[in-house]
Amino acid sequence: FQDRQIVGHVTVLDPQYGNVWTNIDEALLKKMGVVVGGKVQVEILYQNKVRYQALVPFVRTFGEVPLGTEMGYLNSLLQFSLAINQGNFAAAHGIAGGPDWLVRLTQPQR
């Protein structure tokens, strides 16, 4: 966490659902001030080129957003993840994992 942003990596793609898991943990999100029910600005970069950019709701469960909605949540390892409610986030945006895939989170200005 530095300069109002967190930078991590895409570590795992959930093969069943296409959710994107990162190595950004709950403690860093709290330090940045991200709260459940709020929003977070997300950028995913591959080899320093933006592949995805959006302001997404940060929720506890998939049921908190309508079907087809993109969202951020904490996975079972308490790390920031991205999903589409009943969709495949990785396939929809052409996202893969590994050290060349960076995730940058920024708290939106109030």
Side-chain angles (χ1 to χ4, degrees):
F1 174 65
Q2 185 175 353
D3 297 327
R4 295 192 47 225
Q5 65 181 355
I6 301 169
V7 178
H9 292 274
V10 175
T11 55
V12 175
L13 298 181
D14 178 346
Q16 283 187 313
Y17 304 107
N19 300 340
V20 173
W21 289 20
T22 76
N23 63 346
I24 298 170
D25 66 24
E26 180 181 30
L28 284 173
L29 293 172
K30 285 182 178 179
K31 188 173 183 179
M32 191 169 78
V34 175
V35 295
V36 171
K39 295 192 176 204
V40 63
Q41 181 68 41
V42 178
E43 281 184 326
I44 299 177
L45 299 96
Y46 177 66
Q47 298 180 338
N48 295 318
K49 293 181 183 168
V50 176
R51 296 292 295 269
Y52 173 81
Q53 184 174 23
L55 184 64
V56 299
F58 182 63
V59 298
R60 237 182 235 111
T61 69
F62 285 60
E64 293 176 38
V65 297
L67 296 181
T69 300
E70 297 177 352
M71 61 186 205
Y73 69 100
L74 291 176
N75 65 26
S76 58
L77 302 176
L78 299 179
Q79 294 173 322
F80 183 79
S81 298
L82 291 159
I84 297 174
N85 189 2
Q86 294 194 19
N88 186 318
F89 189 96
H93 299 291
I95 306 298
D100 290 336
W101 289 87
L102 295 180
V103 177
R104 182 177 7 223
L105 305 181
T106 308
Q107 180 67 15
Q109 299 213 355
R110 297 176 187 180

